[in-house]
Amino acid sequence: MSRPKWINWAIAAGAGALALTLLLPTSNRPAPEPSAMPDAPHEEHANKQRLKVQDVKATDLLTRMDAKQHLSLMLEKSATMNEAEFGRYVQDLQRTHDHIRSIDVLDSKGTVNKHFAKESGKGSKVEQQKLEHSLNLAKKAVMKRQSFESSSFPLGKEKYFVMGLPSKDGNKAVVALFSQSVLNAVEQHQRKNLRMIPYPREGKFKIESVHPDTLNEVTVKTGHDNANASHFYENEIVIRFRQEPGERDMRIIKSDLRTQSARKLGYTYVFRSEHMNYEQLHSYFERKWNPLYMEPHYMYLTNEAAPEQTDTDVTIPNDILFTDYQWNLPAIETNRGWNITKGKEDVIVAVVDTGVDLNHPDLKGKLLEGYNVVDPKSKPLDDVGHGTHVAGIIGAIVNNSEGVAGMSWYNKVLPVKVLDNSGSGTTYAVAEGIIWAADHGAKVINMSLGNYADAQFLHDAIKYAFDRDIVLIAATGNDNTERPGYPAAYPEVFAVSATDPDMNKASYSNYGDYVDVMAPGTSIASTYPNNQYAALSGTSMASPHVAALAGLIRSLNPDLTNTEVMDLMRQSVIDLGDPGHDKYYGYGQVDVYKALQSASSNSAPLQFWPQHVRQQMDNTMKKYTK
């Protein structure tokens, strides 16, 4: 007599459960020494200062490598285009690349045949002399068929450098002046992203800073103080009623608060008063309306197809910054993982952040339309740089001989702007962005942002997306503290901390029992606004590595649920620190190749057979019990 199918399934489930121990990651690597205790304020500031300088230096190198590529391509174009075509090409290049300030095209005798220029900084007499000296040195070098690259020099408020490059046949050469305004932008960005300054500053937008546990007021004087502070709008409150208020109720509330400002998202309201602070609002709603919950309106800040190859082959893309600067992708076996999958267009990864540079050439064709929560009438354009950098880690075009390589070749990126031009945003905006992404096709949501306050309002939005089978990924924060950061610490969210190139916990990275995995986060090269590239550090940079991995896994095996994807990523790691899970390294650093191998081994990976079988059995039972 043959056995019923459910018995075979049960046997398979048992075999899968027994095999689970064989699939758990092991490591013989010596345990690195973590940054076990928070640094003293002066030590923390000094460490972050060194890291900021490192990021600026790395960005300087990126800008020079990118500049050399543009000049090389320009010389190639000059050999194949007529004069009018070449003129249009250079003018378009300058229009879309504001940092290319002047270009001189020289013939073999050193005569300038073409000059393209836009306004540059007005420096002092000495600075102008330095510029002229650098241009003359460049022209002399290219006439000897040698390349030239000056050191950086100031010209007004910005830094510049001069580069010269001869053609291979020596018949032509180009000498160009490049602005390095991106260096100032990266420096200012990292002062905020790494919490080196009190951010956001007291008094701006009527923001209060409170201790996240007690809600007692605290004063944020230094970047170090951010580890024990959360920020909220002093005259706003978030309310969820036990029963939906009617029109009469809303008229009474608005009259009592003397306001017309009441925003609703789902079942939750945000009220603003011109004459009540948060404590007064809390007392009013508690006394008169007995809501299900009340909480401050918190602010969230940036936490900054080819032929298949054998498994042993490693794909090396031709993106010019990959080999020298993208240490992060080989470190997590991304290249080998591409032999298994490069992603699929229908698996969408949302970037809930500051928006994205929608015109960046290294993101062309990878971005969906997206949404701007801050200004719904406008496109989700990035006016900070953070979101563009995050998007590039996930989806910068691979193998286009330009810039950097993203982790996914084909997954689309959905930009959702929830943070404004200060790099901060409200609970309401972040929650609305999550829900919008969930309703518009996202399979994975990356949140490189956070706050130390546990906001039920935000948690409701997280649950909304999680219940729709979305994988939610978030950065833990950059204060080297064990204090849980949100949304990363919510149980529905996959929490990511950062490692450095030596696979140690990055000195700035938060830690704690809620951390799931680590990913590279130090001096990560990626896309930056205005068609540029920059190196940034932070758990903000670690999180999108894991979001991209989740997108690759869901591209390869769409049958996996969000919890199965998260479990797979936890178990397919390079184990660091103490064996198994620990508070400094989570389960370990993600391993793209190992995770994709596990995802592709069956219709569901072996370690998920019990729940996968139950799901099949439930589906079968539903068919016969309708």
Side-chain angles (χ1 to χ4, degrees):
M1 182 176 175
S2 62
R3 291 179 295 195
K5 287 186 178 180
W6 69 268
I7 294 180
N8 293 331
W9 287 341
I11 293 172
L18 290 172
L20 175 61
T21 57
L22 302 176
L23 296 171
L24 293 175
T26 58
S27 174
N28 297 319
R29 186 177 181 272
E33 289 295 325
S35 302
M37 297 293 292
D39 296 323
H42 69 280
E43 292 173 344
E44 178 180 327
H45 185 81
N47 287 335
K48 290 181 176 180
Q49 178 69 20
R50 284 192 290 271
L51 189 59
K52 183 194 73 175
V53 171
Q54 176 181 313
D55 287 346
V56 171
K57 287 182 177 179
T59 301
D60 174 52
L61 294 173
L62 294 177
T63 61
R64 292 170 182 271
M65 182 73 82
D66 185 52
K68 188 174 183 179
Q69 183 215 21
H70 283 303
L71 297 191
S72 298
L73 186 59
M74 196 180 302
L75 288 170
E76 292 178 14
K77 296 285 187 183
S78 68
T80 59
M81 291 179 171
N82 61 42
E83 192 171 309
E85 289 173 335
F86 182 70
R88 287 193 295 271
Y89 165 76
V90 176
Q91 288 171 351
D92 186 60
L93 184 68
Q94 281 194 298
R95 181 181 56 80
T96 56
H97 296 73
D98 185 61
H99 57 290
I100 306 178
R101 295 302 171 86
S102 72
I103 300 168
D104 287 338
V105 183
L106 288 69
D107 62 20
S108 59
K109 297 180 181 179
T111 304
V112 178
N113 287 336
K114 293 288 182 182
H115 176 70
F116 303 88
K118 59 174 66 173
E119 186 176 351
S120 57
K122 300 296 183 182
S124 65
K125 183 177 179 180
V126 173
E127 290 172 344
Q128 289 289 343
Q129 288 173 342
K130 174 66 175 177
L131 169 60
E132 293 301 324
H133 180 64
S134 296
L135 290 170
N136 288 332
L137 288 178
K139 290 174 182 177
K140 289 178 181 178
V142 295
M143 286 302 95
K144 297 177 183 178
R145 300 182 68 171
Q146 297 173 351
S147 59
F148 175 85
E149 190 175 322
S150 77
S151 58
S152 298
F153 55 86
L155 192 62
K157 296 180 180 180
E158 296 180 9
K159 286 186 175 181
Y160 291 80
F161 70 90
V162 171
M163 181 174 286
L165 197 67
S167 62
K168 294 179 181 178
D169 59 13
N171 291 330
K172 287 185 179 179
V174 287
V175 173
L177 174 66
F178 293 87
S179 164
Q180 289 190 301
S181 59
V182 66
L183 301 186
N184 292 334
V186 167
E187 182 176 16
Q188 293 303 315
H189 181 282
Q190 288 304 76
R191 280 166 57 81
K192 293 180 178 180
N193 191 45
L194 294 174
R195 308 291 188 264
M196 295 176 67
I197 56 176
Y199 171 57
R201 292 190 178 278
E202 300 290 341
K204 188 177 183 182
F205 303 123
K206 294 187 176 180
I207 294 164
E208 289 292 335
S209 297
V210 294
H211 193 286
D213 294 337
T214 64
L215 296 189
N216 291 334
E217 184 175 348
V218 297
T219 300
V220 178
K221 295 180 178 178
T222 69
H224 182 80
D225 295 335
N226 283 300
N228 288 310
S230 288
H231 313 284
F232 67 91
Y233 288 82
E234 63 181 10
N235 59 344
E236 295 189 2
I237 192 169
V238 175
I239 299 291
R240 182 165 179 178
F241 296 98
R242 296 181 186 277
Q243 292 183 333
E244 187 72 9
E247 290 184 14
R248 181 175 178 275
D249 297 327
M250 290 299 293
R251 284 197 299 270
I252 292 172
I253 292 171
K254 289 181 178 181
S255 175
D256 291 344
L257 301 186
R258 284 189 282 173
T259 183
Q260 294 299 314
S261 178
R263 288 168 286 171
K264 182 183 180 185
L265 184 64
Y267 302 108
T268 312
Y269 292 80
V270 177
F271 293 98
R272 180 176 182 177
S273 172
E274 297 302 327
H275 72 288
M276 292 185 186
N277 61 25
Y278 173 76
E279 290 183 359
Q280 292 168 326
L281 288 167
H282 188 283
S283 176
Y284 164 77
F285 280 102
E286 184 177 45
R287 182 182 71 254
K288 195 164 183 177
W289 300 97
N290 187 29
L292 183 63
Y293 68 73
M294 300 177 286
E295 62 189 20
H297 192 193
Y298 292 109
M299 297 191 71
Y300 289 80
L301 315 175
T302 59
N303 273 337
E304 284 287 342
E308 290 299 318
Q309 299 161 289
T310 64
D311 288 346
T312 56
D313 289 338
V314 175
T315 301
I316 306 295
N318 62 18
D319 305 79
I320 63 166
L321 301 177
F322 179 84
T323 302
D324 292 334
Y325 298 104
Q326 288 191 266
W327 66 270
N328 46 311
L329 298 194
I332 56 174
E333 297 284 8
T334 307
N335 311 56
R336 293 180 69 202
W338 286 335
N339 295 331
I340 300 175
T341 184
K342 296 181 176 71
K344 288 186 177 179
E345 289 190 358
D346 61 346
V347 176
I348 297 167
V349 180
V351 172
V352 176
D353 211 291
T354 62
V356 176
D357 181 351
L358 304 179
N359 299 312
H360 201 292
D362 222 0
L363 294 169
K364 189 176 182 179
K366 296 295 292 291
L367 302 175
L368 298 174
E369 186 174 348
Y371 182 61
N372 187 335
V373 175
V374 178
D375 181 6
K377 296 179 181 179
S378 301
K379 294 182 178 180
L381 288 168
D382 186 4
D383 44 17
V384 176
H386 190 268
T388 301
H389 199 272
V390 167
I393 294 170
I394 297 169
I397 300 172
V398 186
N399 247 18
N400 65 338
S401 300
E402 180 169 349
V404 295
M407 283 184 61
S408 166
W409 294 51
Y410 303 121
N411 293 95
K412 295 289 188 180
V413 174
L414 183 67
V416 183
K417 183 176 177 63
V418 299
L419 306 181
D420 63 21
N421 59 10
S422 71
S424 60
T426 67
T427 314
Y428 188 96
V430 176
E432 183 179 354
I434 292 167
I435 290 173
W436 189 93
D439 289 341
H440 289 80
K443 299 293 185 183
V444 180
I445 296 177
N446 183 79
M447 298 170 288
S448 290
L449 46 79
N451 192 314
Y452 293 111
D454 177 1
Q456 293 184 60
F457 182 18
L458 178 63
H459 200 178
D460 282 347
I462 292 290
K463 290 175 182 177
Y464 179 89
F466 182 81
D467 290 343
R468 281 151 183 77
D469 194 35
I470 294 168
V471 179
L472 296 137
I473 313 288
T476 59
N478 301 328
D479 293 309
N480 189 28
T481 178
E482 194 172 357
R483 175 176 294 282
Y486 298 92
Y490 291 128
E492 299 85 2
V493 178
F494 199 79
V496 184
S497 286
T499 51
D500 62 21
D502 295 322
M503 292 176 70
N504 291 323
K505 183 187 89 67
S507 60
Y508 52 82
S509 181
N510 287 0
Y511 57 96
D513 291 335
Y514 69 100
V515 175
D516 288 294
V517 298
M518 312 294 284
T522 301
S523 291
I524 305 300
S526 186
T527 47
Y528 208 68
N530 298 319
N531 298 341
Q532 298 184 85
Y533 300 88
L536 300 180
S537 298
T539 57
S540 284
M541 286 63 252
S543 181
H545 287 82
V546 182
L549 173 57
L552 292 172
I553 292 170
R554 303 206 93 168
S555 300
L556 181 66
N557 195 335
D559 292 333
L560 297 178
T561 65
N562 56 359
T563 55
E564 289 173 341
V565 172
M566 291 191 285
D567 284 342
L568 189 151
M569 292 193 296
R570 291 185 188 104
Q571 299 192 28
S572 303
V573 294
I574 303 165
D575 195 4
L576 302 175
D578 294 335
H581 186 273
D582 67 81
K583 68 179 181 180
Y584 297 113
Y585 294 95
Y587 287 92
Q589 181 166 279
V590 290
D591 186 317
V592 175
Y593 180 67
K594 188 186 295 185
L596 294 177
Q597 270 192 319
S598 296
S600 63
S601 59
N602 289 286
S603 57
L606 192 56
Q607 58 262 50
F608 302 133
W609 264 101
Q611 55 264 51
H612 190 70
V613 168
R614 283 199 302 272
Q615 185 177 353
Q616 286 188 335
M617 291 175 66
D618 289 343
N619 292 339
T620 302
M621 291 296 293
K622 288 177 183 177
K623 291 181 182 178
Y624 293 101
T625 56
K626 285 183 178 180

